[in-house]
Amino acid sequence: MRCTGVALLWVLFSSWTIQTQAQMRISPEIVQQWANDFGKQLSALSNRYSGAQLLQKKYKDVEPIVKMVEVDGSKMVKEFAEGMENMLGRKMKSAKRMAEAAEDADLYHEYNATLEFDYYNSMMINTQDEDGNYVGLGGEFPLEQNEHFNKLPVNIQQSVIQVPTNVYNKDTDILNGVFMSEALNDVFISNFEKDPTLTWQYFGSSTGFFRLYPGIQWTPDENGVVTFDARNRNWYIQAATSPKDIIIAVDISGSMKGLRLTIAKHTINTILDTLGENDFVNVIAYSDYVQYVEPCFKGTLVQADLDNREHFKLLVEELQVKGEGKVKKAMKESFKILNEAAAEERGSLCNQAIMLITDGAMEDFQQVFEDFNWPDRRVRVFTYLIGRELTFASNVKWIACNNKGYYTHISTLADVQENVMEYLHVLSRPMVINHDHDIIWTEAYMDSVLPNTAELFNTQAESLLLMTSVAMPVFSKKEETLSHGILLGVVGTDVPLKELMRLVPRYKLGVHGYAFLNTNNGYILSHPDLRPLYKDGKELKPKPNYNSVDLSEVEWEDTEDALRTAMVKGENGALSLDVRATVDNRRRVVFLKNEYFYTTINETPFSLGIVLTKGHGKNVFIGNVSIEEGLHDLTASDVTVANEWTYCETDIDPHHRKLTQFQAVVQYLMGKEPDLECDERLLQQTLFDAVVTAPMEAYWTALLLNASGIDGGVETAFLGTRSGLMRTIRYVGVEKRVAKKFLSPSDKKNLFTLDHFPVWYRRAAENTAGRFLYYVPTEDSIRADSKFVIAVTSVTVTVNKKTAIAGATGVQMSLEMLEKRFWSTANQANDTDCSGVEGLCPISCTDNADINCFVIDNNGFIIISKDRTDVGRFLGEVDGSVMSQLLRMGMFKRVSLYDYQAMCKVNSHSASSARPLLSPFYNLLAGLKWFLSNFLLFLLDFNIYNLWQTDYFVEAKSSFHSSSKKSRGGILQPCDTEYPSFIYEPSIKETNSIIKCGRCQNRFLRVICCCW
């Protein structure tokens, strides 16, 4: 018997009274008959309304005229990398033009101490007073919504100035800087005309103001405060200084109690915020003796990534004052760490500095500097005098001035920010004097300052919300100040990662293929499995460590870190891995053989990788049709194309930006927009698929118009092809449909998007063509009375024994309709002849209170149950003891999966046991993970299967990141988790078992595979 579809029928008999074995028996023949009858009904419904057999025949008919090609991954990744190099090269040229213009403007600008100058302040524009007059630093500023800038109202003819609330917006330095930088307006506009793919361009001044193009209305926080300061942004800090090794030494002697310690802690945190992935750091505290705030990091430097910075902040909060301050001991330990790092070529191999935070230095400390730092003074020492007392100011100042550092006095919390930033100017002096215009690229980050960020969180793929920035320092070229090394600021522009990823056409990678970017530090820049957001109540927020996710935490099957190591080293190559991939929000597992191809992107710190799935994932077929024939079928009413894919480039010419991809394709093919740049190969595939699938429209329409009508509950038939083309027919109107959102524009998981094929397409691709797969979507937003079932199968093309996926087709049905059919099938009439039947007779899934019947899918999720609230849940949640028994019998296989980006609820006593750099706790966690893995089956036996993984809530089997803050009442924290997925073993068709449980006498289980 050929298997054309699969579901599982489970009949569970439960008795709370003592009965004999014979009384409890259910005839296997009866259950098998139910399974076969229901299976035939499902098969008939699915084939009839999807038209799968017709579609497969149409693709079979064209096999003699198509050409099968195997994808060359090595060649492809290099072509993609070259495209990215060209695009990023244009951004760098724009930054250089901005830097040159700013330096020239400063060269010819004479400082005016009495300058009065009105400018467009982003907080004041279009603001009027009570009399209807525009307020100062405001004025009329036209704004128009622009598709290119996330639909924000902008002014592409003018930039605006943003000034943080703690900086006086009419300060003389601010006015002179704003006046000087007016010259950038013309450069901004010229850059945008030369490269229409540019987004935000800006200049962050060392005095505190921020010039932004295009101009926007800036939105303060709920208290009317603007905390954004460009000088704190990573792009500014990285461009203003070279990589550095920093030791922060804080005084915790008795005199530092109270407000002084609070200020000191805030100073440490602010210094940590100025560090990035290319920097290395450690924090020590001293009184009578020296202590490391993190004992695991004793005597070494650790990378200043987000995890380690947050870990230090957590530990700094726990510092307590005691004893007498011995600055000499702190200096000796600090020099020892830095000198050893330099000698062993560890750390940044660039600048080195000590940050001394104290309220005074009384002892004789000169000898320490003579022994460890003089005469070369290779290590700079910056001193921060805490508190209002100035008795020891001269000593603290002497330390800084005699070690090429900088002294500053911090008496209040409000002084911290400005004073800490001074050290950046000192460290930038060698670059300024040498005029080293190093171009820097930042790690991925989320621009959370834009007004519509919350809307973007809900409408775009998570991994594509991020961006990177290219930035350059701006120096003073005036001869009189050249030797002083004056940093004027930093210019830069943003590069949304979704624009970069558009250069890797989704259709070329296949159904399970994907592309990813990472930095030379091993951190993910873009990856379809990168999940930077988490749900806090109803609100989506960035995770604390969202931009420091390592490649090994996403590609965790690479246990030897071979892929990560090669890409960090900037190598070119290929790698094959057997992977456990997941679909449907990581609920279901598929086993793939992936091939990874990787290369560097020249002139950047980035590497590009692409993944192709062996077998059908590496094969593509090419067919030809005329434009006239293809265009006729493409413009049918039931056809759409993937609007997030780039069939034609609509972002170059502003005239094209309002066109959808479908509109652009049609106008290009009709010759109405010949200037459009289109992907000819993708258009060729799309036209071919439109012609081959054209008969489906007539087939579906005939069903709709058939006099016998449509079976109640059959709502939508659909198909999708490898070119992103979709055809859809709605058998019932929207007012009668249960699945109102299904395949609507907001139903991203079921559409072709920039970073994935639809869920139903990916699931169908891993099953035999012609064999239907059934499942119930389980989004939280779907109510129990609105649940529906999707049946889907793949369609293939085979040439010379090589197979490629052509597409997938399916039908969406209401759950209620399937339930009625099943309950009607799984039922014996009361007048059934029970003579000679041993056991229960007649039996019914609906009328027998002691019998529970389930239809579940191949991953163990319930499709049909008496209790509608069970639908979509994992069987192990409903009855863990049953699932445990099925595992033992081999009916299902347990597959371990790992999530290193999870957010977990923990109690306040949970210790942080993360994987910070050099942490010795990791081996212990590995042992804990093994224990918890084996502990799971014990939990299953006791029917407490509540370990099913979700993105937002995992309470078991977790190890917490160092960025975790102290839990207050079970807040969400980043953690690493192991969670199970289960998959049906098709070799077992039928099984029986008795399961003893608690008060009930026994449970008799029969499992039948419905195969038709």
Side-chain angles (χ1 to χ4, degrees):
M1 179 173 60
R2 181 172 175 266
C3 196
T4 60
V6 64
L8 300 178
L9 173 60
W10 308 73
V11 180
L12 180 63
F13 172 82
S14 303
S15 174
W16 294 90
T17 60
I18 298 177
Q19 298 181 3
T20 67
Q21 183 74 16
Q23 289 175 311
M24 294 185 295
R25 282 198 58 189
I26 300 176
S27 170
E29 290 78 12
I30 293 175
V31 179
Q32 182 67 66
Q33 187 61 48
W34 289 353
N36 290 339
D37 291 347
F38 185 59
K40 289 175 182 177
Q41 290 184 52
L42 278 180
S43 179
L45 279 170
S46 304
N47 275 299
R48 172 178 168 81
Y49 289 107
S50 69
Q53 293 174 346
L54 172 62
L55 184 61
Q56 181 63 73
K57 180 181 182 301
K58 292 302 177 183
Y59 273 103
K60 187 74 175 175
D61 291 343
V62 299
E63 287 180 352
I65 63 172
V66 301
K67 179 182 178 182
M68 188 70 69
V69 178
E70 186 170 337
V71 178
D72 185 339
S74 296
K75 180 181 178 182
M76 182 183 289
V77 74
K78 289 176 182 176
E79 291 175 351
F80 293 156
E82 287 175 5
M84 290 184 174
E85 180 185 340
N86 292 334
M87 178 186 180
L88 298 178
R90 295 195 297 269
K91 313 307 178 192
M92 289 188 280
K93 287 179 181 177
S94 296
K96 288 179 181 177
R97 287 192 287 265
M98 286 187 277
E100 290 169 358
E103 290 182 352
D104 288 344
D106 175 72
L107 180 63
Y108 298 109
H109 172 73
E110 291 190 11
Y111 189 88
N112 184 351
T114 60
L115 177 65
E116 293 186 5
F117 175 67
D118 279 339
Y119 58 87
Y120 286 115
N121 186 302
S122 61
M123 288 278 290
M124 309 293 189
I125 56 174
N126 297 328
T127 302
Q128 298 177 335
D129 59 21
E130 295 178 353
D131 299 324
N133 300 316
Y134 289 108
V135 299
L137 299 183
E140 184 178 3
F141 194 82
L143 297 171
E144 184 177 351
Q145 193 176 83
N146 192 301
E147 292 280 336
H148 184 65
F149 294 94
N150 295 324
K151 299 182 180 180
L152 281 174
V154 300
N155 185 328
I156 60 173
Q157 300 301 319
Q158 183 69 45
S159 61
V160 291
I161 301 296
Q162 179 269 337
V163 183
T165 301
N166 65 330
V167 176
Y168 180 44
N169 58 24
K170 290 188 178 181
D171 181 86
T172 305
D173 289 343
I174 296 291
L175 292 177
N176 274 271
V178 171
F179 182 81
M180 175 273 292
S181 65
E182 283 285 298
L184 285 172
N185 263 321
D186 291 339
V187 181
F188 290 151
I189 295 171
S190 175
N191 279 344
F192 190 41
E193 290 174 349
K194 291 176 181 176
D195 181 6
T197 64
L198 276 174
T199 55
W200 308 103
Q201 302 175 68
Y202 40 80
F203 168 61
S205 169
S206 60
T207 59
F209 75 85
F210 179 61
R211 181 178 288 278
L212 177 66
Y213 173 89
I216 63 168
Q217 176 96 42
W218 201 277
T219 305
D221 64 19
E222 61 273 11
N223 300 314
V225 175
V226 176
T227 57
F228 177 87
D229 189 330
R231 296 168 298 176
N232 297 335
R233 304 295 278 186
N234 216 4
W235 52 266
Y236 186 101
I237 294 167
Q238 288 187 37
T241 64
S242 301
K244 48 197 171 292
D245 300 334
I246 299 291
I247 299 294
I248 303 174
V250 59
D251 183 353
I252 56 168
S253 62
S255 61
M256 286 286 290
K257 65 181 179 181
L259 180 60
R260 291 184 182 181
L261 185 61
T262 301
I263 295 173
K265 290 178 179 179
H266 186 40
T267 302
I268 295 172
N269 291 343
T270 306
I271 293 171
L272 289 170
D273 286 338
T274 66
L275 304 180
E277 298 173 0
N278 297 321
D279 303 317
F280 289 78
V281 67
N282 207 336
V283 182
I284 63 174
Y286 71 92
S287 53
D288 298 310
Y289 59 94
V290 174
Q291 68 180 76
Y292 287 82
V293 295
E294 173 51 87
C296 296
F297 299 159
K298 182 177 181 179
T300 191
L301 293 164
V302 295
Q303 188 178 16
D305 60 23
L306 183 62
D307 271 1
N308 284 327
R309 295 200 307 267
E310 293 299 315
H311 187 60
F312 278 129
K313 289 180 183 180
L314 177 67
L315 297 173
V316 163
E317 286 301 313
E318 299 175 359
L319 290 176
Q320 302 291 328
V321 298
K322 56 185 174 182
E324 181 182 349
K326 302 291 186 181
V327 70
K328 187 187 296 185
K329 293 182 178 179
M331 290 296 101
K332 282 184 179 180
E333 188 68 21
S334 300
F335 281 120
K336 179 182 176 184
I337 298 170
L338 295 174
N339 290 342
E340 286 181 359
E344 297 173 11
E345 296 188 344
R346 291 184 287 105
S348 68
L349 304 179
C350 198
N351 293 310
Q352 291 192 323
I354 298 171
M355 308 300 201
L356 178 62
I357 302 170
T358 180
D359 63 348
M362 296 177 288
E363 58 186 317
D364 180 15
F365 38 71
Q366 180 172 334
Q367 189 63 43
V368 177
F369 301 111
E370 291 178 356
D371 294 343
F372 292 94
N373 205 35
W374 294 354
D376 297 334
R377 291 174 169 80
R378 186 176 50 80
V379 177
R380 296 179 183 269
V381 182
F382 296 87
T383 56
Y384 300 88
L385 182 65
I386 305 298
R388 300 185 184 276
E389 181 60 54
L390 296 175
T391 304
F392 302 104
S394 59
N395 289 352
V396 177
K397 187 174 183 178
W398 183 93
I399 293 174
C401 294
N402 284 278
N403 289 278
K404 299 171 68 173
Y406 190 89
Y407 158 80
T408 187
H409 178 216
I410 302 176
S411 57
T412 68
L413 286 170
D415 297 335
V416 172
Q417 186 68 52
E418 287 292 319
N419 285 296
V420 164
M421 299 304 295
E422 292 294 340
Y423 95 87
L424 295 175
H425 299 151
V426 176
L427 288 184
S428 70
R429 283 174 188 164
M431 292 173 55
V432 180
I433 294 171
N434 296 327
H435 252 63
D436 293 335
H437 282 86
D438 292 336
I439 294 178
I440 67 96
W441 289 92
T442 68
E443 75 275 17
Y445 70 95
M446 199 170 291
D447 196 348
S448 57
V449 301
L450 294 178
N452 66 339
T453 299
E455 179 186 343
L456 293 176
F457 283 1
N458 289 295
T459 58
Q460 294 189 13
E462 287 189 41
S463 62
L464 302 176
L465 286 168
L466 305 179
M467 62 180 63
T468 181
S469 295
V470 57
M472 284 184 67
V474 178
F475 308 134
S476 173
K477 297 195 296 187
K478 294 179 178 178
E479 289 188 12
E480 62 270 25
T481 61
L482 203 57
S483 61
H484 298 167
I486 296 178
L487 175 72
L488 299 175
V490 174
V491 295
T493 183
D494 294 339
V495 182
L497 293 175
K498 69 177 181 179
E499 298 304 323
L500 263 183
M501 299 313 291
R502 285 188 193 280
L503 299 177
V504 185
R506 192 70 190 78
Y507 76 95
K508 290 187 177 182
L509 302 178
V511 57
H512 290 299
Y514 56 90
F516 61 95
L517 290 164
N518 67 285
T519 71
N520 56 2
N521 285 312
Y523 292 127
I524 290 293
L525 202 66
S526 179
H527 194 292
D529 287 336
L530 178 65
R531 306 191 313 278
L533 303 176
Y534 76 101
K535 201 167 187 179
D536 187 5
K538 294 183 178 180
E539 186 178 358
L540 282 173
K541 295 181 178 179
K543 295 175 182 176
N545 58 337
Y546 76 90
N547 62 352
S548 61
V549 177
D550 195 272
L551 180 61
S552 61
E553 295 178 316
V554 178
E555 298 291 347
W556 47 266
E557 293 278 20
D558 180 21
T559 55
E560 302 297 323
D561 278 349
L563 177 66
R564 181 190 186 279
T565 301
M567 296 187 74
V568 167
K569 289 181 177 180
E571 297 176 354
N572 305 326
L575 177 73
S576 295
L577 288 174
D578 292 334
V579 302
R580 290 160 283 181
T582 59
V583 295
D584 196 11
N585 198 28
R586 294 168 308 286
R587 291 163 56 87
R588 306 175 190 274
V589 64
V590 291
F591 297 93
L592 305 175
K593 293 183 180 293
N594 283 347
E595 287 193 332
Y596 295 77
F597 303 90
Y598 50 88
T599 189
T600 57
I601 302 174
N602 295 328
E603 306 300 324
T604 75
F606 308 141
S607 290
L608 169 67
I610 65 170
V611 177
L612 301 174
T613 303
K614 287 185 179 180
H616 64 71
K618 289 201 68 181
N619 298 326
V620 295
F621 64 93
I622 300 171
N624 253 324
V625 294
S626 68
I627 291 179
E628 292 76 16
E629 184 183 10
L631 193 56
H632 174 270
D633 291 328
L634 183 65
T635 52
S637 60
D638 66 330
V639 174
T640 59
V641 297
N643 199 49
E644 292 188 16
W645 290 14
T646 305
Y647 297 81
C648 294
E649 183 55 70
T650 58
D651 205 31
I652 296 176
D653 186 340
H655 172 66
H656 296 145
R657 283 182 181 146
K658 292 186 178 180
L659 294 176
T660 66
Q661 283 295 311
F662 187 81
Q663 291 169 339
V665 167
V666 172
Q667 293 196 25
Y668 173 76
L669 293 174
M670 294 178 67
K672 294 182 178 180
E673 292 288 350
D675 295 333
L676 277 166
E677 295 182 12
C678 298
D679 187 328
E680 297 292 342
R681 178 178 161 187
L682 179 55
L683 292 187
Q684 181 186 19
Q685 290 188 6
T686 305
L687 291 176
F688 185 80
D689 289 344
V691 171
V692 176
T693 61
M696 299 304 296
E697 179 188 20
Y699 175 86
W700 288 337
T701 302
L703 287 177
L704 191 61
L705 300 178
N706 191 295
S708 61
I710 301 294
D711 285 279
V714 178
E715 298 187 345
T716 302
F718 56 91
L719 68 84
T721 72
R722 73 305 175 29
S723 62
L725 178 143
M726 285 190 64
R727 288 183 182 271
T728 307
I729 187 169
R730 305 291 190 179
Y731 287 122
V732 294
V734 64
E735 69 282 351
K736 295 182 179 180
R737 285 204 303 268
V738 171
K740 290 181 171 58
K741 182 184 175 184
F742 181 62
L743 298 183
S744 69
S746 62
D747 187 19
K748 296 292 186 182
K749 67 185 298 184
N750 286 310
L751 300 177
F752 292 90
T753 68
L754 188 57
D755 71 339
H756 64 71
F757 279 61
V759 169
W760 47 266
Y761 195 111
R762 285 178 282 164
R763 295 207 66 203
E766 294 311 307
N767 284 272
T768 305
R771 186 176 113 171
F772 277 88
L773 191 72
Y774 299 86
Y775 69 99
V776 176
T778 55
E779 290 89 344
D780 293 337
S781 58
I782 300 179
R783 303 192 317 269
D785 59 351
S786 300
K787 291 183 177 179
F788 56 93
V789 177
I790 293 175
V792 66
T793 186
S794 62
V795 177
T796 59
V797 168
T798 301
V799 178
N800 296 327
K801 298 183 179 180
K802 292 183 177 180
T803 299
I805 299 291
T809 185
V811 60
Q812 172 263 312
M813 303 168 280
S814 71
L815 177 63
E816 183 180 10
M817 181 267 284
L818 285 191
E819 287 175 335
K820 288 179 179 178
R821 287 175 177 265
F822 176 68
W823 301 134
S824 175
T825 301
N827 179 62
Q828 286 185 308
N830 291 331
D831 59 356
T832 299
D833 182 6
C834 295
S835 59
V837 176
E838 185 180 4
L840 291 174
C841 185
I843 60 173
S844 167
C845 279
T846 53
D847 297 337
N848 290 79
D850 290 335
I851 295 179
N852 291 326
C853 300
F854 300 98
V855 175
I856 69 173
D857 65 24
N858 65 328
N859 294 113
F861 291 98
I862 296 173
I863 295 178
I864 296 176
S865 170
K866 284 183 181 179
D867 186 348
R868 178 69 74 86
T869 61
D870 289 342
V871 175
R873 295 174 66 193
F874 181 63
L875 181 64
E877 291 183 86
V878 177
D879 198 317
S881 59
V882 172
M883 193 66 210
S884 178
Q885 188 71 4
L886 293 175
L887 286 169
R888 293 194 188 97
M889 293 187 297
M891 192 74 183
F892 273 85
K893 180 171 70 174
R894 180 186 185 277
V895 181
S896 291
L897 300 171
Y898 301 94
D899 184 1
Y900 297 102
Q901 303 174 67
M903 297 291 288
C904 305
K905 283 187 177 180
V906 294
N907 59 48
S908 58
H909 301 292
S910 295
S912 175
S913 52
R915 289 176 58 187
L917 192 61
L918 301 179
S919 172
F921 293 131
Y922 189 57
N923 289 335
L924 177 61
L925 291 177
L928 178 61
K929 185 173 288 186
W930 174 88
F931 168 76
L932 288 170
S933 174
N934 286 274
F935 186 58
L936 174 64
L937 287 180
F938 173 77
L939 295 179
L940 282 171
D941 282 341
F942 284 88
N943 194 21
I944 53 174
Y945 187 87
N946 291 315
L947 302 182
W948 184 250
Q949 187 265 356
T950 66
D951 187 29
Y952 310 120
F953 181 75
V954 182
E955 293 201 39
K957 305 172 70 179
S958 55
S959 55
F960 295 93
H961 283 262
S962 56
S963 58
S964 301
K965 296 186 177 180
K966 265 195 170 181
S967 175
R968 298 182 303 276
I971 63 173
L972 289 166
Q973 301 179 4
C975 61
D976 299 341
T977 65
E978 178 189 355
Y979 66 97
S981 181
F982 298 87
I983 190 163
Y984 166 64
E985 285 289 308
S987 59
I988 301 177
K989 305 297 183 187
E990 178 179 342
T991 188
N992 303 278
S993 180
I994 297 175
I995 304 173
K996 296 187 180 298
C997 58
R999 289 166 48 211
C1000 58
Q1001 177 64 22
N1002 51 53
R1003 294 189 177 186
F1004 181 85
L1005 177 71
R1006 183 170 305 282
V1007 186
I1008 305 291
C1009 171
C1010 301
C1011 195
W1012 53 90

